[in-house]
């Protein structure tokens, strides 16, 4: 009698065959990465979608820094005002005024302490900006999780590595996701809806998610590995490595010399690089014979991704000392120069940032739906007492409080940054903690999510209308921001109206206990 050989079940991932046991192994890895790191992933991704617009919302958040384009004082006059206001202007970093960022900002470091000043570019008066804005606060949440530096940034970099692992394991765990690319079963059962949404977001946003995770890991872990790589490339010679990237080091001599005006240097550099503008300046040894200024040239983002050049120019004779650029040191350096523009969408204008914004929100939705799938799979076991019901309840409400609380707190922080400067941090943390605590006592989590979505919509619409009709000065940049916020608020209200008010689908059947003979 011939022995029948049973074949191990296989599944297909495109043209490839994968064993069922391998698929299950990747499914377990994907599930546990999502459950353990899902909340932190969500915090980083959602805050990152808002951090994209830090530059665009600076002048919107601080109406006192707005100005009408073409009416500003000469740059050298504004720089002279900044030097009189700062304690030690010998080494000074300056952001030049733009319609998005508002007036001129200058910073200097004295004995390890930061001194800064904001100047109205039209009147030349010093502007008081109470506290940091909401977008600056949320950007730090994205880059450092508000943990001590550099440990917060290293943790975010490691999260990027784990997110790549989660995305790869998710593709391997759902071999039929590509086949079901357009499948979306709406509300027959919650678990089916969550599963379809999760797979749709995962497949359509896979490339975007991988790029964001990889570039985020590089940016976050750069401070940890860059010194090792640089020193190994230059045989441990710190001075040689520093000179290769920033040019020759010049010590201050203490001999005074007359300084050249900066405006002609800026005009000359921009004339030699059409389509580019000088966005910031870094002064070294002001007043000394070794004085220099680094003109940071920002190229047209529509023409080039690896943007940014630093031109070190002598303030005594106007000669170029050194040019630092990502585009002239080989393929490796050029690729490295694309990491930050690629991560923050700096190479395509506001339209590209809006695409990043929507893609980031969908990626965050994928994390939420993944957690809901994991919880829904275990709901029957929790109802039947197979697993502790309290554990199921507490984990679900924790995810509700963290995710919904972050969205509500961010919206109210934006309102505080615009209409109650200096209260961003207490408003953000108190609202997030309040929603987190309330999520454990609300009787209906579905209705709480729906109400939370409508609340966010009302907040966004209110602050947009409030700025449009309550600001003394409107610029094209700030008006554009208000209209975008109004559109996002209306879209949020529409999407919230589609969310379920209560659990839909069949209730889990109570199975009788098995009776042993």
């Amino acid at each position: 009698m011939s022995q029948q050989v049973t074949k191990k079940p296989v599944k297909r991932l495109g043209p490839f065959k994968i064993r069922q046991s391998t698929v299950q192994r990747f499914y377990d890895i994907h599930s546990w990465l999502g459950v353990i790191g899902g909340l932190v992933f969500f915090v980083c991704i959602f805050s990152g979608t808002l951090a994209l617009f830090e530059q665009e919302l600076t002048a919107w958040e601080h109406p006192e820094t707005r100005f009408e384009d073409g009416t500003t004082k000469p740059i050298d006059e504004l720089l002279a005002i900044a030097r009189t206001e700062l304690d030690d202007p010998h080494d000074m970093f300056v952001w030049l005024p733009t319609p998005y960022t508002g007036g001129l900002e200058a910073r200097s470091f004295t004995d390890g302490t930061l001194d800064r000043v904001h100047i109205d570019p039209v009147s030349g008066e010093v502007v008081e900006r109470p506290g940091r804005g909401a977008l600056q606060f949320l950007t730090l949440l994205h880059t450092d999780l508000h943990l001590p530096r550099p440990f917060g940034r290293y943790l975010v970099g490691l999260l990027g590595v784990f997110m790549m692992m989660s995305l790869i394991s998710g593709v391997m765990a759902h071999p039929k996701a590509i086949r079901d690319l357009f499948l979306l079963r709406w509300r027959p059962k919650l678990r089916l809806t969550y599963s379809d949404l999760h797979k749709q977001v995962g497949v359509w946003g896979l490339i975007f998610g991988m790029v964001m995770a990889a570039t985020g890991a590089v940016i976050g872990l750069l401070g940890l590995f860059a010194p090792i790589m640089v020193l190994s490339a230059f045989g441990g010679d710190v001075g040689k490595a520093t000179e290769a990237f920033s040019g020759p080091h010049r010590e201050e001599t203490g001999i005074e010399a007359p300084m050249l005006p900066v405006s002609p240097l800026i005009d000359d550099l921009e004339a030699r690089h059409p389509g580019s503008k000088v966005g910031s300046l870094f002064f070294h040894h002001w007043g000394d014979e070794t004085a220099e200024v680094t003109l940071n040239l920002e190229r047209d983002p529509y023409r080039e991704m690896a943007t940014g050049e630093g031109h070190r120019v002598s303030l005594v004779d106007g000669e170029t000392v050194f040019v630092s650029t990502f585009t002239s040191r080989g393929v490796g350096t050029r690729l490295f120069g694309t990491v930050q523009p690629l991560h923050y969408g700096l190479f395509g204008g506001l339209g590209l940032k809006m695409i990043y914004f929507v893609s980031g929100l969908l990626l965050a939705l994928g994390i939420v739906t993944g957690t809901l799938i994991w919880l829904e799979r275990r709901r029957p076991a929790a109802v039947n007492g197979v697993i502790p019901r309290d554990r199921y309840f507490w984990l679900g409400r924790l995810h509700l409080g963290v995710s919904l609380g972050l969205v509500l707190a961010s919206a109210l922080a934006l309102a505080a940054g615009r209409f109650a400067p200096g209260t961003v941090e207490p408003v953000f943390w108190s609202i997030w903690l309040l929603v987190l605590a309330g999520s454990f006592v609300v009787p209906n989590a579905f209705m709480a999510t729906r109400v939370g979505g409508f609340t966010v919509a009302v907040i966004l619409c209110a602050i947009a209308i409030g700025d449009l009709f309550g600001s003394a000065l409107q610029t094209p940049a700030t008006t554009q921001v208000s209209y975008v916020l109004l559109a996002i608020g209306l879209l949020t209200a529409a999407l919230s109206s589609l969310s379920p008010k209560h659990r839909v689908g069949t209730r889990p059947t109570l199975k009788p206990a098995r009776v042993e003979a």
Side-chain angles (χ1 to χ4, degrees):
M1 184 176 179
S2 61
Q3 185 177 1
Q4 187 176 2
V5 179
T6 59
K7 295 182 179 180
K8 294 184 178 180
V10 296
K11 290 191 175 184
R12 284 190 172 273
L13 180 61
F16 305 103
K17 293 182 179 180
I18 307 176
R19 291 183 178 180
Q20 177 65 38
S21 58
T22 304
V23 172
Q24 184 61 45
R25 192 175 297 115
F26 276 111
Y27 186 89
D28 293 338
I29 294 172
H30 181 69
S31 298
W32 284 109
L33 280 173
V35 171
I36 296 173
L39 288 176
V40 189
F41 288 160
F42 181 86
V43 171
C44 284
I45 293 171
F46 182 79
S47 58
T49 61
L50 303 179
L52 290 168
F53 305 101
E54 182 183 6
Q55 180 182 14
E56 284 78 6
L57 266 75
T58 299
W60 183 89
E61 279 194 277
H62 301 281
E64 67 276 4
T65 65
R66 300 178 187 178
F67 64 93
E68 294 181 359
D69 201 12
T71 61
T72 60
K73 290 181 177 295
I75 294 299
D76 287 292
E77 186 176 340
L78 296 175
L79 292 174
I81 298 171
R83 282 192 293 272
T84 60
E85 295 291 332
L86 296 175
D87 293 334
D88 185 10
H90 291 83
D91 294 305
M92 179 175 68
F93 196 94
V94 177
W95 281 271
L96 298 180
T98 69
Y100 280 112
T101 58
L104 181 141
E105 179 178 347
R107 296 182 182 181
S108 67
F109 288 91
T110 305
D111 299 327
T113 59
L114 174 65
D115 188 19
R116 69 173 69 187
V117 62
H118 303 273
I119 300 173
D120 187 323
V122 177
S123 65
E125 297 178 353
V126 176
V127 177
E128 294 294 332
R129 285 173 57 174
R132 56 189 172 191
L135 264 294
Q136 185 183 3
F137 177 82
L138 291 168
T139 299
L140 289 175
L141 180 63
H142 173 67
T143 58
D144 299 85
L145 294 175
H146 286 288
L147 297 174
R149 291 189 175 184
F151 304 107
R153 182 151 297 200
Y154 295 161
L155 176 59
V156 172
L158 288 174
L159 287 173
V161 175
F162 285 118
M163 186 174 170
M164 284 192 290
M165 294 171 56
S166 178
L167 290 168
I168 294 171
S169 60
V171 172
M172 302 298 293
H174 299 94
K176 296 190 296 183
I178 298 178
R179 188 193 68 182
D180 299 334
L181 203 56
F182 299 97
L183 177 64
L184 181 58
R185 292 161 289 187
W186 191 251
R187 288 189 180 182
K189 288 184 180 179
L190 278 178
R191 183 179 160 190
L192 287 176
T193 303
Y194 295 152
S195 179
D196 290 344
L197 278 173
H198 185 70
K199 287 185 285 189
Q200 297 295 315
V201 170
V203 174
W204 288 105
L206 178 63
I207 295 178
F208 176 81
M210 289 295 293
V211 170
M212 292 300 101
T215 53
V218 172
I219 294 172
L221 298 176
L222 180 63
L224 197 60
F225 296 109
I228 301 173
M229 293 186 294
V230 170
L231 291 178
S232 63
F234 290 90
D237 191 335
V238 179
K240 192 175 181 181
T242 304
E243 184 174 335
F245 284 91
S246 58
H249 177 68
R250 303 174 68 184
E251 291 287 347
E252 191 171 0
T253 64
I255 302 174
E256 294 185 2
M259 300 288 100
L260 292 174
V262 177
S263 295
L265 301 177
I266 295 175
D267 295 339
D268 176 66
L269 184 61
E270 291 179 347
R272 288 187 284 113
H273 296 80
S276 301
K277 289 189 68 66
V278 174
S280 58
L281 312 170
F282 186 26
F283 291 91
H284 318 260
H285 309 160
W286 176 266
D288 192 80
E289 65 174 356
T290 61
E292 298 172 352
V293 59
T294 300
L295 309 173
N296 294 309
L297 192 68
E298 299 173 356
R299 291 192 181 276
D300 186 347
Y302 295 97
R303 294 169 52 226
E304 204 166 330
M305 184 181 292
T307 61
E309 291 183 4
H311 291 251
R312 282 177 57 187
V313 180
S314 171
L315 283 170
V316 177
D317 55 20
E319 294 295 323
T320 299
V321 178
F322 184 78
V323 178
S324 175
T325 175
F326 286 111
T327 59
S328 60
R329 295 182 182 173
V331 177
T333 307
R334 190 179 182 89
L335 287 174
F336 179 75
T338 65
V339 170
Q340 187 156 345
L342 193 59
H343 189 73
Y344 289 103
L346 302 177
F347 59 95
L350 185 60
L352 180 67
K353 285 191 176 184
M354 291 304 299
I355 295 175
Y356 267 52
F357 175 73
V358 174
S359 301
L361 291 182
L362 289 175
L363 199 58
L365 176 64
I367 294 173
V368 172
T369 53
T371 303
L372 292 174
I373 293 169
W374 193 88
L375 291 171
E376 285 296 314
R377 286 192 66 186
R378 284 151 183 79
R379 182 173 178 271
V383 172
N384 290 314
V386 177
I387 61 175
R389 186 166 185 170
D390 289 343
R391 185 189 305 171
Y392 168 86
F393 173 83
W394 287 96
L395 185 59
R397 293 307 177 91
L398 175 65
H399 280 77
L400 171 67
V402 170
S403 55
L404 181 59
L406 176 61
V407 177
L408 271 169
S410 300
L412 283 170
L414 188 60
R418 172 59 186 85
F419 296 103
T423 65
V424 170
E425 295 187 37
V427 166
F428 178 86
W429 293 118
S430 59
I431 293 300
W432 199 0
L433 290 174
L434 183 64
V435 175
L436 179 60
S439 66
F440 291 94
V441 296
V442 293
N444 188 340
F446 296 93
M447 182 58 74
T449 304
R450 185 182 177 93
V451 171
F454 280 117
T455 304
V456 171
V458 170
I459 293 171
L460 293 178
C461 292
I463 59 179
I465 294 173
D467 184 79
L468 286 171
F469 294 98
S471 297
L473 176 61
Q474 286 289 345
T475 67
T478 57
T479 302
Q480 184 183 51
V481 169
S482 295
Y483 281 129
V484 169
L485 288 174
L486 184 61
I488 294 175
L490 295 175
L491 181 60
T492 303
L495 293 176
S496 299
S497 66
L498 299 176
S499 63
K501 299 178 183 178
H502 50 77
R503 180 175 299 281
V504 294
T506 57
R507 298 179 61 183
T509 306
L510 296 177
K511 297 181 180 179
R514 183 178 177 182
V515 180
E516 298 290 344

